Amino acid sequence: MQEPKKATRFSISGDWGGAKPKITKELINIVFDIVEELFGKKLNYPVLITNFPLSENPIACYAMKEGCYQVNLSASSGLSWCQIVYQLAHELCHLNSNYSDSIGHKYKWLEESLCEMCSIAVLIALSKRWNKTAMYRYDRGYSASVKKYIESLPSMIGYMPKNRGAYLVWFDSNVGRLESSCDNRELNGVVANYLYKNVFSIHPTAWNCVGMLNKWNCHQNLNFTSYKESWREQCNDSMEVNTVLNAM
């Protein structure tokens, strides 16, 4: 297999279930476009995207390979477009949030929640612009399928705090569970949905703050309040980070 060149954004390998590579790459290009719009930047290195249909979960690997990030997906096939978008957007968010700079700290649940939120945001953007993408010629009515997929996500149909007060009550009751397991999808989904609807869908420049995560030794933060202050400092006390933190 030919490794991706430095000038490319990604290459694909693995089992894509008979889907035409050209179409799969067109879809992936759209995901990259949307994620780059959200974060306002491109990744520093290309991404080697490998699909393992029988794998339990997708993952952004900590180790790089020949100058490339490694992302492993677990889409059932290359024809499962929504699933590919959902998984890839999540993993690209990890790459954009400096996931490997500070590993294993107890506040990783926030990164996981924000990556779930990234999947939501990318799918919503895709549903709105489908008719103007290169994929439109392959299925002109697929935007409706994207909308149905979004509505079926656990994070979109689970508990949704009505306001900040309700969120804080929920958070106080669940912070222990969040810190003990960063990838509790039920809890991450609550955080993702709440922050998307109350902050990020209204203030899209807040994504700049996500790109500042993990740039310090998060293990030094003794509690979540301390962690938030470190994040605020990394963002130079910007309006965006204060908008996010004021909601939390």
Side-chain angles (χ1 to χ4, degrees):
M1 181 192 69
Q2 184 178 3
E3 293 296 327
K5 298 179 181 179
K6 183 70 175 179
T8 64
R9 292 199 287 189
F10 67 88
S11 70
I12 62 174
S13 65
D15 182 1
W16 297 88
K20 294 181 179 179
K22 177 178 181 292
I23 298 177
T24 301
K25 289 178 181 179
E26 287 181 354
L27 178 65
I28 291 174
N29 264 313
I30 295 169
V31 178
F32 268 78
D33 287 343
I34 298 173
V35 172
E36 287 174 1
E37 290 172 14
L38 293 177
F39 283 90
K41 65 177 183 178
K42 298 179 184 294
L43 291 170
N44 293 329
Y45 304 98
V47 185
L48 174 58
I49 304 168
T50 307
N51 192 49
F52 298 98
L54 299 181
S55 181
E56 185 175 354
N57 295 304
I59 187 172
C61 303
Y62 286 123
M64 298 185 68
K65 183 177 182 180
E66 297 187 14
C68 299
Y69 295 116
Q70 295 187 82
V71 165
N72 296 339
L73 303 185
S74 58
S76 56
S77 82
L79 301 177
S80 302
W81 293 345
C82 284
Q83 189 182 26
I84 292 171
V85 173
Y86 174 79
Q87 292 187 3
L88 181 57
H90 183 111
E91 304 310 326
L92 290 181
C93 182
H94 279 305
L95 300 185
N96 276 285
S97 59
N98 318 296
Y99 71 122
S100 62
D101 288 358
S102 190
I103 300 172
H105 59 80
K106 65 181 181 179
Y107 313 108
K108 275 287 183 179
W109 62 265
L110 179 60
E111 179 187 332
E112 288 292 344
S113 300
L114 294 172
C115 289
E116 171 69 16
M117 185 181 69
C118 186
S119 293
I120 295 170
V122 171
L123 283 164
I124 290 175
L126 180 62
S127 71
K128 292 178 178 178
R129 68 177 68 176
W130 181 265
N131 293 359
K132 297 181 180 180
T133 70
M135 294 295 293
Y136 178 66
R137 63 181 179 270
Y138 303 121
D139 190 333
R140 298 193 173 191
Y142 196 72
S143 61
S145 298
V146 180
K147 292 176 182 177
K148 289 181 180 179
Y149 187 87
I150 296 168
E151 293 170 355
S152 71
L153 292 174
S155 53
M156 300 300 284
I157 59 179
Y159 172 67
M160 173 61 188
K162 295 181 180 180
N163 50 47
R164 181 175 181 270
Y167 172 80
L168 292 177
V169 170
W170 174 88
F171 178 76
D172 287 342
S173 299
N174 290 281
V175 61
R177 295 172 63 197
L178 285 164
E179 292 183 351
S180 65
S181 177
C182 69
D183 54 1
N184 185 316
R185 291 190 63 197
E186 177 189 353
L187 302 183
N188 294 344
V190 175
V191 178
N193 195 4
Y194 169 74
L195 287 178
Y196 180 73
K197 290 184 176 178
N198 290 277
V199 180
F200 287 79
S201 64
I202 304 168
H203 306 284
T205 56
W207 283 102
N208 296 332
C209 306
V210 181
M212 301 302 291
L213 286 175
N214 298 308
K215 286 196 170 186
W216 68 96
N217 183 359
C218 303
H219 292 278
Q220 294 182 347
N221 297 124
L222 299 180
N223 52 52
F224 189 55
T225 298
S226 171
Y227 175 86
K228 290 189 292 183
E229 288 306 310
S230 294
W231 189 19
R232 193 194 309 273
E233 291 175 7
Q234 285 294 320
C235 297
N236 296 316
D237 201 22
S238 68
M239 178 182 68
E240 289 84 1
V241 74
N242 281 295
T243 299
V244 176
L245 295 178
N246 287 341
M248 302 180 69

